Amino acid sequence: MLLFYRRKHIQDFFKEADHVLDHHYHITEQVQDDQTLVDDVYTGRINVEHILYTLYSYELREEKPHVRIMEQPYEMSIIFDSFNHLSSDMPMTHLFYLDNSQKQTKNNEFYNLKCLTNLLPVILRNKNYHPYYYYSNVSIMNEHNVFYPNVMITTRYVFTYTNDHSQGVLYKLPQIVNAYKEKFDAYLKEAECFMTRDSWTNYLTDTQTFSDTHVITQELMTTTCPTYIFEESDFNIMRKALKDFFPDKERFIRDYHNYVNYWNQVFYPQCFDKFHVIYTVQGLYYTAKTGYLHDIPPELFNPLSLENRLTLLRKWKEFCIKHPHIVMADMPYLSETSTTYFELSNQEFHMIAADSTGTLALISIKEVTLVEAFNDFVENVVKKNAYSKEDEIKLIDECIEMIEMEM
């Protein structure tokens, strides 16, 4: 039963992965510039969350702003959304615990996955957000009423508050603030980084070191990918497809050019059995009908012409025939228009997603329960329901014929 619910929640995660930036929470309180914060006990959820919001706002005025926060991400997405409403660049260090009990929480939820879901919008919006975790038994922790388990530390204030945000205590005595900072930083030394963010172009460069690891990696995407099949003569197709205001267009094209050459000439000939590509039948038809790809947000991409779509699918067909580790799957829960794709090994989980500016960002996660859960889902849900190679080629041929009839 545990495995059933975990796989169900992983499937829901894929379904919602492209919508992590769509959630907006109503912010009822605004900071009053003339407000003076005093050491006091604050009661009521509105008052507690107003203090959190105000402290974050005040910190923006500091010469070297830095917020330290300790609260479980399981139910705090509204707080993060409020923070990002003020600034998406505030340096923030977040400390929390993950579940090591291997038990389901209320409503049979996968606790660690729920934390990841709530944190994704934050790390996509804020390049200076740094989450760290340690392990605890969530079911035991929830049974004990710790007086003020959560804390927010800024340059001049400390605010401790309850899990339900019903009560909090504010301190501004410098000795107390410094004592909390020292204790927080000491805990941080014992914690692990939960996930990191990098640019997609750095991901292209970093992937070139993969051949030395000898680890099987699986890439899960939606549409066919020109990176794996385009040759030198095809690069103009990508240049024309990228809109002129594509961020750092020339650098991207240069990096893309280098990566494709590396892929075709060095990496895949040596490691084809180590790199498994999974794409969806929904994505195949989406590219054939529209000319869009999964790699790049449609706002930054001119759809491929019918002629170029035909070139892509014909080369993709030959690629699929030649390599048994290219698999087509039916994944209706992964949006056909997805610009998010995933790369998994037994050691790490990458998620490449578009942030609020349309820039592709790489999210890397090494937390063991999540890595194991995603690998289990790919092996036992996605691959076991994949198309046979014969049926896959038939479906590609149907798309090729569809394009030819439109020309």
Side-chain angles (χ1 to χ4, degrees):
M1 188 61 71
L2 171 65
L3 203 55
F4 168 80
Y5 279 112
R6 286 208 167 188
R7 290 173 180 171
K8 178 180 181 298
H9 292 310
I10 293 288
Q11 179 171 302
D12 291 341
F13 176 86
F14 281 123
K15 186 176 181 180
E16 297 297 325
D18 277 343
H19 307 289
V20 292
L21 290 172
D22 295 341
H23 303 299
H24 295 287
Y25 300 90
H26 180 60
I27 300 170
T28 58
E29 291 290 317
Q30 297 296 325
V31 177
Q32 302 296 323
D33 290 337
D34 59 352
Q35 179 177 355
T36 301
L37 295 179
V38 297
D39 294 27
D40 203 352
V41 177
Y42 294 82
T43 58
R45 187 180 184 95
I46 290 179
N47 291 327
V48 168
E49 293 181 356
H50 176 64
I51 292 296
L52 292 168
Y53 188 79
T54 301
L55 291 177
Y56 192 89
S57 176
Y58 280 11
E59 191 65 10
L60 291 171
R61 307 169 188 174
E62 298 291 340
E63 183 178 353
K64 295 181 179 180
H66 181 196
V67 169
R68 297 170 174 86
I69 191 165
M70 181 183 291
E71 183 173 358
Q72 289 305 104
Y74 185 76
E75 293 178 334
M76 69 177 298
S77 53
I78 187 171
I79 301 300
F80 280 138
D81 198 82
S82 297
F83 292 168
N84 282 306
H85 172 77
L86 285 172
S87 170
S88 60
D89 296 319
M90 169 74 80
M92 178 187 292
T93 304
H94 182 197
L95 182 62
F96 54 92
Y97 59 81
L98 293 177
D99 187 29
N100 65 353
S101 67
Q102 298 296 314
K103 294 181 180 179
Q104 301 293 146
T105 61
K106 60 181 180 181
N107 301 321
N108 295 304
E109 287 188 317
F110 182 5
Y111 187 90
N112 296 351
L113 181 64
K114 178 69 172 179
C115 291
L116 170 62
T117 301
N118 282 348
L119 294 183
L120 275 176
V122 193
I123 200 167
L124 281 171
R125 288 182 176 125
N126 189 340
K127 297 177 182 179
N128 295 314
Y129 169 72
H130 304 287
Y132 290 84
Y133 71 95
Y134 60 95
Y135 285 111
S136 185
N137 188 314
V138 169
S139 59
I140 292 176
M141 295 290 285
N142 289 340
E143 291 171 2
H144 293 77
N145 293 320
V146 181
F147 282 100
Y148 296 102
N150 309 309
V151 61
M152 182 175 180
I153 309 167
T154 64
T155 300
R156 303 175 191 276
Y157 297 93
V158 167
F159 187 56
T160 63
Y161 51 100
T162 57
N163 280 331
D164 61 2
H165 294 188
S166 65
Q167 192 172 77
V169 182
L170 183 68
Y171 307 93
K172 64 178 181 179
L173 191 67
Q175 296 93 314
I176 295 179
V177 175
N178 290 332
Y180 268 91
K181 287 179 183 177
E182 290 176 6
K183 198 65 175 176
F184 184 95
D185 291 344
Y187 285 148
L188 205 61
K189 292 179 181 179
E190 305 299 321
E192 298 286 340
C193 182
F194 182 56
M195 58 182 174
T196 58
R197 168 183 167 151
D198 203 348
S199 71
W200 190 57
T201 51
N202 287 342
Y203 161 73
L204 293 178
T205 303
D206 294 342
T207 302
Q208 295 189 19
T209 63
F210 171 79
S211 57
D212 295 328
T213 65
H214 305 293
V215 173
I216 292 179
T217 296
Q218 305 188 87
E219 183 164 280
L220 177 61
M221 57 191 189
T222 49
T223 66
T224 55
C225 183
T227 303
Y228 305 142
I229 56 173
F230 273 6
E231 303 166 281
E232 192 83 26
S233 58
D234 301 309
F235 288 148
N236 278 336
I237 295 177
M238 291 300 292
R239 179 179 290 276
K240 291 178 181 178
L242 297 178
K243 292 185 176 179
D244 290 338
F245 55 83
F246 185 93
D248 206 355
K249 179 177 177 178
E250 290 308 313
R251 181 193 170 194
F252 177 86
I253 291 173
R254 184 180 66 250
D255 289 343
Y256 180 80
H257 182 281
N258 292 338
Y259 183 72
V260 169
N261 285 338
Y262 166 79
W263 170 270
N264 288 317
Q265 298 170 19
V266 180
F267 175 75
Y268 207 69
Q270 297 176 359
C271 301
F272 71 92
D273 59 332
K274 298 287 194 302
F275 197 82
H276 300 185
V277 175
I278 304 168
Y279 69 106
T280 71
V281 62
Q282 291 83 7
L284 173 71
Y285 276 97
Y286 177 73
T287 295
K289 291 176 182 178
T290 69
Y292 285 111
L293 304 173
H294 80 285
D295 301 69
I296 302 170
E299 296 81 6
L300 304 174
F301 191 79
N302 298 310
L304 299 177
S305 66
L306 290 171
E307 181 182 358
N308 290 337
R309 287 180 225 174
L310 201 57
T311 298
L312 173 64
L313 291 190
R314 283 172 174 168
K315 291 191 173 188
W316 186 260
K317 174 184 173 181
E318 295 306 312
F319 183 59
C320 293
I321 291 173
K322 184 178 179 181
H323 299 295
H325 298 301
I326 311 302
V327 175
M328 178 194 287
D330 183 9
M331 295 180 65
Y333 42 85
L334 185 60
S335 170
E336 65 181 13
T337 61
S338 174
T339 54
T340 302
Y341 60 104
F342 309 87
E343 194 171 271
L344 301 102
S345 73
N346 60 2
Q347 301 170 350
E348 196 162 0
F349 165 45
H350 296 300
M351 178 177 175
I352 298 90
D355 69 9
S356 55
T357 67
T359 302
L360 289 169
L362 165 67
I363 310 300
S364 298
I365 301 162
K366 294 183 180 179
E367 197 279 319
V368 62
T369 65
L370 292 171
V371 172
E372 289 177 352
F374 276 94
N375 274 293
D376 168 76
F377 183 85
V378 169
E379 288 294 333
N380 293 286
V381 178
V382 178
K383 283 192 171 182
K384 287 188 176 180
N385 291 288
Y387 288 89
S388 68
K389 186 59 68 174
E390 181 180 0
D391 289 338
E392 176 187 10
I393 300 306
K394 286 181 180 178
L395 288 168
I396 296 175
D397 281 336
E398 287 181 10
C399 289
I400 290 174
E401 291 172 6
M402 179 180 68
I403 295 172
E404 288 175 334
M405 290 178 63
E406 290 188 50
M407 295 179 69

